[in-house]
Amino acid sequence: MEEKSLPNDSITFLGTAGARFTVTSQVLASGGLWLNLSGTEILLDPGPGCIVQSTKRKLKADKLSAIILSHRHLDHSADVNIMVEAMTRGGFKRHGRLFAPADALENEPVIFSYLKDYLEGVDVLQEGKSYSIGNISFTTPIRHIHPVETYGMVFTTPAHTFSYIADSRYFDGLCRSYGGELLIINVVRLEAGHPLDHLAVPEAKHIITEVKPKVAILTHFGMTMWRAKPWEVAERLSQETGVRVLAARDGMRFDLSQLDES
Ligand SMILES: [Zn+2]
């Protein structure tokens, strides 16, 4: 039988470092996620090094349709200016949109005003809203508990649905708000109870158990996670939850067609 080729969806992890020390030491790369969803390319959370990691991997910024920031913290937004410059070919081609929470755009904007003019538009992320980029749509179902205004996203492509749980303190709303076949979770800490409003492994385990995706990918590792070897943590979580849990690696490309096999 002839195989019908579905539009291809992939996610490239430009880096897997999260929070301060793994990012400032670059023991792991940082730089965010590069989504290629049925041909629509979207950059999510361009942290420090995004321009280096993306060009190294031959990803072409001028093919991007949008850049999305979950929040203004440096590890999610440091390279937004250079990536807007690259997306718009230095401003010669007015192109692409930027999506970010209001507090990343207002008092002390993360993006320079002259670069903002290079964009086709800027969209403010708000709780419970949905947005579209070409043939892709996404929602920002719930505001996270984090020191600055922060949202995760649920993406819908012609072929797949997946969620990205950006930085947050744990609260039950996370389990209710995110679904889909794939769950990407920023898991900074190994142990729960740290005061800095980040998810830890036991909380990620609870979310995975509640949401029951086909695959969960852990990323955005702080030092305690890195020292614990994320791939071993993921293996343990797979056994404990019955869900296939992976630890992202710097430069890893996850092809969402893998979800269709299971
Ligand atoms: Zn943060």
Side-chain angles (χ1 to χ4, degrees):
M1 204 174 80
E2 201 186 326
E3 230 172 86
K4 198 165 166 252
S5 69
L6 279 169
N8 201 41
D9 294 330
S10 72
I11 298 171
T12 301
F13 293 81
L14 296 173
T16 57
R20 291 158 212 214
F21 302 114
T22 48
V23 175
T24 54
S25 66
Q26 290 286 300
V27 61
L28 293 166
S30 48
L33 309 179
W34 193 292
L35 315 179
N36 187 336
L37 306 176
S38 307
T40 299
E41 300 191 34
I42 300 168
L43 176 61
L44 184 51
D45 281 347
C50 182
I51 187 73
V52 175
Q53 300 301 332
S54 58
T55 50
K56 192 163 96 178
R57 298 180 200 293
K58 309 259 187 297
L59 296 163
K60 301 262 189 287
D62 60 359
K63 293 212 177 128
L64 288 169
S65 298
I67 299 174
I68 307 174
L69 307 183
S70 64
H71 65 299
R72 64 173 298 131
H73 279 157
L74 206 53
D75 50 336
H76 298 255
S77 71
D79 270 14
V80 66
N81 286 294
I82 188 64
M83 294 313 294
V84 167
E85 176 124 328
M87 177 167 74
T88 60
R89 295 193 188 156
F92 286 107
K93 194 181 142 206
R94 196 156 183 265
H95 168 69
R97 306 190 73 82
L98 174 69
F99 297 79
D103 90 339
L105 301 166
E106 286 168 359
N107 293 338
E108 187 187 34
V110 296
I111 176 149
F112 296 134
S113 49
Y114 80 95
L115 289 169
K116 224 161 132 180
D117 295 338
Y118 296 175
L119 293 162
E120 280 172 313
V122 177
D123 298 85
V124 177
L125 298 179
Q126 287 177 294
E127 184 174 70
K129 289 273 165 72
S130 60
Y131 306 86
S132 60
I133 304 165
N135 53 350
I136 305 307
S137 64
F138 72 94
T139 62
T140 41
I142 197 163
R143 183 172 172 163
H144 287 192
I145 302 175
H146 204 53
V148 297
E149 189 181 0
T150 304
Y151 301 100
M153 291 113 213
V154 182
F155 289 90
T156 306
T157 82
H160 301 104
T161 302
F162 66 95
S163 291
Y164 166 61
I165 304 185
D167 298 3
S168 184
R169 173 186 289 268
Y170 177 79
F171 63 108
D172 289 338
L174 295 176
C175 298
R176 285 197 304 272
S177 304
Y178 295 102
E181 304 148 274
L182 169 68
L183 198 56
I184 299 164
I185 315 179
N186 286 357
V187 187
V188 172
R189 310 267 319 163
L190 186 63
E191 314 268 0
H194 193 262
L196 283 177
D197 292 343
H198 278 296
L199 290 171
V201 170
E203 297 156 341
K205 178 182 163 186
H206 177 70
I207 295 168
I208 292 165
T209 308
E210 293 287 309
V211 175
K212 285 244 169 293
K214 287 183 179 170
V215 174
I217 303 179
L218 316 179
T219 187
H220 209 59
F221 306 126
M223 273 303 182
T224 56
M225 266 304 274
W226 178 235
R227 289 199 194 104
K229 303 190 175 77
W231 54 94
E232 288 183 7
V233 174
E235 175 60 40
R236 205 178 71 227
L237 287 184
S238 296
Q239 285 163 9
E240 291 171 358
T241 62
V243 170
R244 184 174 165 223
V245 182
L246 306 172
R249 306 297 294 249
D250 288 349
M252 180 177 101
R253 195 181 111 143
F254 182 82
D255 215 318
L256 273 73
S257 62
Q258 287 186 49
L259 301 167
D260 309 331
E261 291 151 18
S262 44

